[in-house]
Amino acid sequence: MTRTFPERFLFGAATAAYQIEGAAFEEGRTASIWDAFARVPGAVINADNGDVACDHYHRYPQDVALMKELGLQTYRFSTSWSRVRPDGGAVNAKGVDFYKRLVDELLDNDIVPWLTLYHWDMPQALEEKGGWTNRDTVDRFVEYAGTMHDALGDRVHYWTTLNEPWCSSFLSYTAGVHAPGRMDVGDGMLAAHHLLLSHGRTVQELRRRDESLELGITLNLTVADPADADAPVDIDAARRIDGQFNRWFLDPIFRGVYPDDVIRDFRKVDSDAVARWEQAVQPGDLDAISTPLDALGVNYYHGEMLSGTAPAEEAPGGDAPTERATASPFPSTDGIHWVERGLPRTAMDWEVQPEGLTRLLQRVWDDYAGGIPLYVTENGAAYDDVREGDTVPDSERRTFLVEHVKAVADAIDAGVDVRGYFYWSLLDNYEWAWGYEKRFGIVRVEYDTQERTVKDSGREYARIIAARAV
């Protein structure tokens, strides 16, 4: 059955500054936390860094031409705080000018620019003053946001404050997996709060400047299912993951409160950390964090099935579950086990679960959105594809793309106001702690020559966009 999309629905692709730009220390840009973290022995596979990445800083006209060739209606990119306000200080005109040129190139090619202010590349100088555990960083972020609006507010309508604050707090300050590599429960909680506060205050500032802007935040969310829907321990395992991954961010943004059950979970693990966090949440903070939005970005890659006990011999459906050795950045996951479901897996070892995207969009719409539109701001898969002549036959990614676009159509049919889909990523790129080993792009990049080749998945996406149907 052919599924068609509303006329206002936007098809796009997404990238992030540190992952593609390169030019790490050119024209005034100084070190970000990722420049520093990537140089810590053992932090990144093969000790890779983003110094060159996809050289997008010098090749952006070629990359925009590829977007035009694919028929992209919109392009989601992030601006580099370290390029725009190096070390968190004065404005760097040359850095700002790069984004002016990029936006002009997009508009000249009828591609809608979608700007994300923070995709994890805080200036290292600010991290050395405490980073996101320091409340002063909130003020520095609002200043940076104002700089970008001064430069691009007349040409950019869609603004996202933060990308995936879960990653830049718990994954970065508690698990130590991402920059800056800290491993402290309290630091993760403080970082999460200050990230959310910077979001709320930035929304207030940008709305004060221009009420016509469409302002939002992007959250990476999951579908947490109990292995046995009738087993209290499995239900509680799913509750804990949903609470720490989803509700810790959704509740303060949409309800102006942090979830009590997750606070209790944290307190059982580290009561001192909770005490530090409680002192950091000042009067008025949650009012700012819950400033009404115009849109919510949802990033989805996979769901998860969870058990609260060691796996039994037989799963509820008769299949033998397998406990996965999954490191978790959450401080209250003792006794939780990730259960195999026999689903296909990507090169990241993530399950492929398109129907989870439909359920997630429905849940967010019903429980939180309150009528504001949703956008799937990231959805994609890494596979070990290989170039063959002038083509890259990546049938697994092509299937992943098609099935997830269908899942979005299912959500729209169910009454969810989903207004856009951004594939992650436009280009193969620097994939954080995995370096250059994981390829997510619908365009292949040969890192030694910077040659670009549209993959079969990219051609399929172009057909979907042209037909506005899948």
Side-chain angles (χ1 to χ4, degrees):
M1 180 178 69
T2 300
R3 318 295 298 283
T4 58
F5 287 83
E7 282 302 312
R8 68 182 177 185
F9 189 91
L10 294 173
F11 287 99
T15 65
Y18 188 74
Q19 293 182 268
I20 69 166
E21 283 182 2
F25 299 100
E26 293 184 28
E27 298 191 327
R29 183 189 179 280
T30 57
S32 73
I33 55 175
W34 268 96
D35 294 291
F37 184 70
R39 287 166 168 79
V40 175
V44 177
I45 291 175
N46 294 333
D48 290 330
N49 60 57
D51 286 4
V52 177
C54 303
D55 197 33
H56 175 74
Y57 189 81
H58 300 113
R59 299 170 186 265
Y60 72 90
Q62 174 187 352
D63 292 336
V64 174
L66 278 171
M67 299 177 209
K68 182 75 169 180
E69 178 184 339
L70 292 169
L72 298 187
Q73 297 174 282
T74 182
Y75 171 56
R76 178 175 175 254
F77 63 97
S78 73
T79 51
S80 168
W81 192 350
S82 297
R83 196 179 297 285
V84 171
R85 296 190 75 121
D87 297 333
V91 175
N92 174 29
K94 290 184 178 179
V96 173
D97 285 347
F98 167 69
Y99 297 109
K100 289 181 178 179
R101 296 193 302 273
L102 173 60
V103 166
D104 287 346
E105 191 78 14
L106 292 167
L107 293 173
D108 287 347
N109 285 274
D110 299 318
I111 298 168
V112 175
W114 189 297
L115 191 153
T116 298
L117 287 163
Y118 189 66
H119 201 130
W120 310 349
D121 50 357
M122 174 193 289
Q124 175 63 17
L126 292 183
E127 169 58 25
E128 291 169 4
K129 296 177 181 179
W132 285 116
T133 65
N134 181 356
R135 190 179 179 95
D136 183 65
T137 301
V138 176
D139 295 328
R140 304 289 77 75
F141 184 79
V142 176
E143 289 175 352
Y144 155 62
T147 298
M148 294 315 306
H149 184 264
D150 289 342
L152 298 172
D154 61 334
R155 283 163 289 166
V156 175
H157 177 71
Y158 296 98
W159 293 74
T160 295
T161 54
L162 309 175
N163 180 76
E164 300 184 350
W166 173 85
C167 291
S168 41
S169 57
F170 292 113
L171 197 60
S172 303
Y173 283 83
T174 294
V177 175
H178 278 191
R182 297 201 217 173
M183 300 181 72
D184 183 278
V185 173
D187 285 355
M189 295 183 73
L190 290 176
H193 179 66
H194 291 147
L195 280 156
L196 288 175
L197 182 59
S198 72
H199 152 74
R201 286 188 50 199
T202 297
V203 170
Q204 291 176 333
E205 172 62 18
L206 295 183
R207 185 161 289 140
R208 181 188 66 78
R209 290 165 170 245
D210 185 351
E211 292 184 353
S212 71
L213 301 178
E214 187 158 331
L215 307 174
I217 188 173
T218 278
L219 304 178
N220 55 314
L221 303 173
T222 192
V223 176
D225 292 321
D228 184 343
D230 296 320
V233 289
D234 293 358
I235 294 169
D236 188 65
R239 176 199 64 79
R240 282 191 278 164
I241 294 301
D242 177 64
Q244 296 172 28
F245 206 96
N246 297 336
R247 291 185 287 114
W248 190 256
F249 299 94
L250 286 165
D251 279 19
I253 289 170
F254 288 99
R255 297 174 180 170
V257 295
Y258 284 100
D260 286 338
D261 64 312
V262 183
I263 297 172
R264 289 194 297 270
D265 291 340
F266 286 165
R267 186 172 280 114
K268 290 176 184 177
V269 175
D270 192 334
S271 60
D272 290 340
V274 175
R276 287 174 59 203
W277 170 81
E278 287 175 330
Q279 289 180 341
V281 181
Q282 297 183 9
D285 283 4
L286 284 160
D287 289 337
I289 292 169
S290 59
T291 300
L293 302 179
D294 303 301
L296 175 67
V298 174
N299 289 1
Y300 172 82
Y301 289 91
H302 62 90
E304 41 220 329
M305 180 172 282
L306 304 152
S307 173
T309 59
E313 292 184 4
E314 291 293 322
D319 297 325
T322 303
E323 178 184 351
R324 300 187 59 76
T326 304
S328 173
F330 295 125
S332 64
T333 55
D334 288 348
I336 293 179
H337 305 274
W338 278 255
V339 176
E340 292 271 16
R341 289 180 284 186
L343 297 174
R345 289 185 174 270
T346 70
M348 298 292 289
D349 201 30
W350 296 342
E351 292 181 327
V352 178
Q353 187 187 357
E355 59 83 22
L357 176 55
T358 306
R359 286 196 285 135
L360 176 61
L361 293 168
Q362 185 77 64
R363 184 266 180 106
V364 172
W365 176 253
D366 290 343
D367 293 354
Y368 291 99
I372 70 167
L374 307 181
Y375 293 84
V376 178
T377 38
E378 287 183 29
N379 172 245
Y383 290 104
D384 299 324
D385 43 64
V386 178
R387 180 177 171 179
E388 297 180 4
D390 294 331
T391 64
V392 182
D394 59 338
S395 60
E396 290 175 304
R397 183 178 294 103
R398 183 174 59 188
T399 299
F400 180 100
L401 171 65
V402 168
E403 293 305 312
H404 283 81
V405 172
K406 287 180 179 177
V408 174
D410 288 341
I412 294 171
D413 288 349
V416 182
D417 186 7
V418 189
R419 296 192 187 178
Y421 174 89
F422 294 76
Y423 182 80
W424 181 272
S425 176
L426 174 69
L427 305 170
D428 291 338
N429 55 44
Y430 179 83
E431 190 49 47
W432 308 114
W434 293 277
Y436 296 100
E437 288 198 0
K438 304 300 183 183
R439 293 180 175 270
F440 277 84
I442 51 175
V443 176
R444 182 178 175 87
V445 177
E446 307 297 339
Y447 296 114
D448 54 347
T449 65
Q450 293 297 334
E451 183 179 0
R452 274 78 158 140
T453 305
V454 177
K455 302 178 186 180
D456 286 358
S457 58
R459 302 295 180 198
E460 181 66 29
Y461 194 30
R463 286 191 286 271
I464 292 170
I465 297 170
R468 301 194 61 77
V470 64

